[in-house]
Amino acid sequence: MRHIPPQDLSRTSRRTAFSGWRRARAGLWAAAAVTTLGFLVALEFAARHHGVPGPITNQVREVVFAPKSGGLLYAAMALMTVVLTWRQRLVAVGAAVGVDLAFLVVRWAVGAGTDGGHPFGNGALWVVLACAVIAVTRRTGRERVLLLKGVGLALLLVAGRKTGDTWLFITSKTRPVVLDQYVATADHALGNPSWLVGRVVTATGPVGFNFLDFVYGQLAVAAVVVALYQLRRVAVEGRFPGHHLVRTFLVIGLLGPAFYMIYPVVGPIFAYGTGTEHWAAVSLWAEDMPPSEPWAVADLWPHTPPPLVPPHPMPFDGITPRNCMPSLHTAWATAIFIHTRKGPRVLRFAGTFWLIATLAATLGFGYHYGADLLAGVVFTLTIEAALRASDRGWDRSGVRLVVHGATVFAALLVSYRFLPSEMAERPWLYGPLLVLVTASVVLGYVRTTALWEPGAAPVRRPEPQPELT
């Protein structure tokens, strides 16, 4: 039997393990791409079944027609440029602006309007698609892979918005009964924060309302700014970091809407106010709503908390999204806060400000109950812990944190559904208890991630040993 020196054994072992890791990673990327495509196609068919275009159609349409959100398209293009050199970035921005100006001139010449869309944004989408073509036809090796990853990141951000819009529409059509009375009753244990903050925001007048509305509506742009800081060295290093904000954002957007179907809730301004009238006025689907369907229980928000009566499921209209439980705006704002903790002071301040302002807006506009916000925080920390553990290597602390977060999240939803009256009757007990179980996840996340700092040793998976021949 031939003798193999120990150093050659080690080198062979590392080479074998690295090769296996690359094959497994490529397989995961392929599986993720196929799953994403299948999900988009399924949503397209589901939307078509209800008589409206799906996410694929809406995205293809924006290649030519006025986009729904031009700012989001430019933010997506900016995200893609992290893989480009500074010269290439300037060329990309100039090309996007040039295309938008050309579209503007053509629309003016033919007398075509924007149909409620933005007059800009097509150029950014054209640049992203052009980079995809360049990656396939003009790049090879690592350069091609890096550029395609940048394009994929940009398209995923845009597709996430289109998917979310379609998913919200589907919730309104497939969940005719909502559980707002249960959450509103449970919210008595927290002191009805939506009613309290709603009165404060109303007292500030249009200035406070418009300010919070801007913060609430530009959450995705704020996330892109943070992501650009995290990914600023991608072009220099030739690779993406193991974990960054965009990953958390996309996973939240992928998993969160599933709970809208399980726990349909429309929010206090709709169930207990006049928000449905406003939504019907601005919704693209208002003409599909039968006028005989019930709307709000009563006009109570934000001045009169709902009475303590046994809650029941209640039918609701066919256009208002069931998008409250958990609060994904709170989840995304929490993710931004987490990912700005290691940035410069101005970024840390911005992350804190965006979280506080988003919480004030979600409650003050009547879009969410306080119970939604607690669930959103726990939801985010659980996802963030799972992604960090997956990147670092699963160990006992990571598994324990994820299991704890998932258990608390499930317990919150179950208690809101089956114990709301008991919670409302004993706020002195259940209010602090809800805050404490949420704080236990926050504390567990802080303690566990402190062990995952760069100074701590990462988990090492056992390397395969070659056979001696």
Side-chain angles (χ1 to χ4, degrees):
M1 182 171 58
R2 183 170 60 90
H3 174 71
I4 301 178
Q7 60 271 24
D8 290 345
L9 274 175
S10 177
R11 191 179 301 113
T12 303
S13 174
R14 288 195 298 269
R15 189 183 300 116
T16 303
F18 182 72
S19 177
W21 176 83
R22 291 189 61 181
R23 286 195 299 270
R25 191 175 181 85
L28 287 175
W29 275 103
V34 172
T35 302
T36 302
L37 180 60
F39 180 67
L40 290 174
V41 171
L43 278 183
E44 184 73 29
F45 277 105
R48 292 284 180 177
H49 176 72
H50 292 285
V52 298
I56 298 176
T57 302
N58 285 331
Q59 189 56 68
V60 172
R61 185 179 182 276
E62 291 188 349
V63 174
V64 177
F65 295 95
K68 183 176 180 180
S69 177
L72 181 66
L73 289 173
Y74 268 93
M77 185 192 73
L79 200 59
M80 182 205 66
T81 60
V82 298
V83 303
L84 305 178
T85 64
W86 276 106
R87 179 180 177 277
Q88 292 168 340
R89 292 169 187 170
L90 293 176
V91 171
V93 172
V97 172
V99 172
D100 273 334
L101 289 176
F103 268 94
L104 190 64
V105 171
V106 170
R107 288 186 184 120
W108 173 80
V110 301
T114 58
D115 295 326
H118 286 190
F120 61 91
N122 302 95
L125 183 57
W126 276 48
V127 168
V128 172
L129 297 176
C131 286
V133 174
I134 292 173
V136 174
T137 59
R138 304 291 297 273
R139 297 288 187 271
T140 58
R142 294 185 61 182
E143 290 186 356
R144 171 186 290 178
V145 173
L146 191 64
L147 184 54
L148 285 177
K149 284 184 177 180
V151 171
L153 210 57
L155 293 179
L156 278 175
L157 183 66
V158 178
R161 172 66 179 269
K162 302 301 179 186
T163 300
D165 291 343
T166 303
W167 193 269
L168 294 183
F169 171 76
I170 292 175
T171 65
S172 68
K173 293 299 183 184
T174 61
R175 291 296 179 268
V177 175
V178 299
L179 303 177
D180 280 76
Q181 292 188 27
Y182 292 89
V183 184
T185 302
D187 230 33
H188 280 275
L190 298 171
N192 299 300
S194 181
W195 272 257
L196 175 62
V197 181
R199 291 194 294 271
V200 173
V201 172
T202 302
T204 62
V207 176
F209 180 91
N210 292 332
F211 174 75
L212 290 178
D213 186 57
F214 172 80
V215 174
Y216 190 85
Q218 300 303 318
L219 188 63
V221 177
V224 169
V225 172
V226 177
L228 288 176
Y229 173 79
Q230 290 183 323
L231 304 177
R232 65 193 183 280
R233 297 189 59 81
V234 168
V236 177
E237 298 177 354
R239 62 180 181 85
F240 280 82
H243 180 57
H244 49 83
L245 176 61
V246 181
R247 293 179 68 199
T248 307
F249 240 67
L250 292 174
V251 174
I252 289 173
L254 177 65
L255 298 181
F259 293 96
Y260 295 164
M261 305 293 286
I262 300 172
Y263 209 114
V265 179
V266 294
I269 194 173
F270 300 109
Y272 295 95
T274 58
T276 306
E277 297 177 6
H278 171 72
W279 184 263
V282 302
S283 174
L284 299 176
W285 317 311
E287 65 274 8
D288 298 329
M289 183 184 65
S292 60
E293 291 192 16
W295 286 5
V297 174
D299 187 5
L300 300 177
W301 188 91
H303 300 292
T304 307
L308 283 178
V309 296
H312 300 283
M314 65 183 198
F316 211 72
D317 65 49
I319 63 169
T320 306
R322 281 63 165 152
N323 62 338
C324 279
M325 185 63 72
S327 168
L328 293 195
H329 261 79
T330 299
W332 283 319
T334 302
I336 290 176
F337 175 80
I338 292 172
H339 282 265
T340 54
R341 293 310 88 196
K342 293 184 179 180
R345 178 178 299 179
V346 63
L347 204 62
R348 296 197 304 271
F349 173 80
T352 304
F353 160 78
W354 223 273
L355 175 61
I356 295 174
T358 300
L359 295 178
T362 54
L363 293 173
F365 293 163
Y367 294 156
H368 288 281
Y369 304 92
D372 306 336
L373 273 60
L374 296 183
V377 171
V378 175
F379 183 67
T380 299
L381 294 177
T382 304
I383 289 176
E384 182 71 16
L387 291 175
R388 287 179 181 266
S390 177
D391 177 60
R392 179 183 181 274
W394 287 94
D395 59 3
R396 182 176 299 177
S397 62
V399 173
R400 184 168 55 244
L401 177 59
V402 173
V403 171
H404 176 60
T407 302
V408 170
F409 179 73
L412 289 176
L413 266 61
V414 171
S415 64
Y416 298 156
R417 177 62 176 84
F418 296 104
L419 296 174
S421 297
E422 291 81 355
M423 296 168 69
E425 292 170 358
R426 301 175 180 84
W428 53 269
L429 172 63
Y430 286 97
L433 186 59
L434 289 173
V435 174
L436 284 175
V437 295
T438 303
S440 71
V441 179
V442 175
L443 182 60
Y445 178 84
V446 172
R447 286 182 173 178
T448 303
T449 52
L451 301 175
W452 294 348
E453 292 299 319
V459 175
R460 300 294 185 184
R461 296 183 177 87
E463 296 181 350
Q465 298 297 325
E467 297 182 359
L468 299 178
T469 58

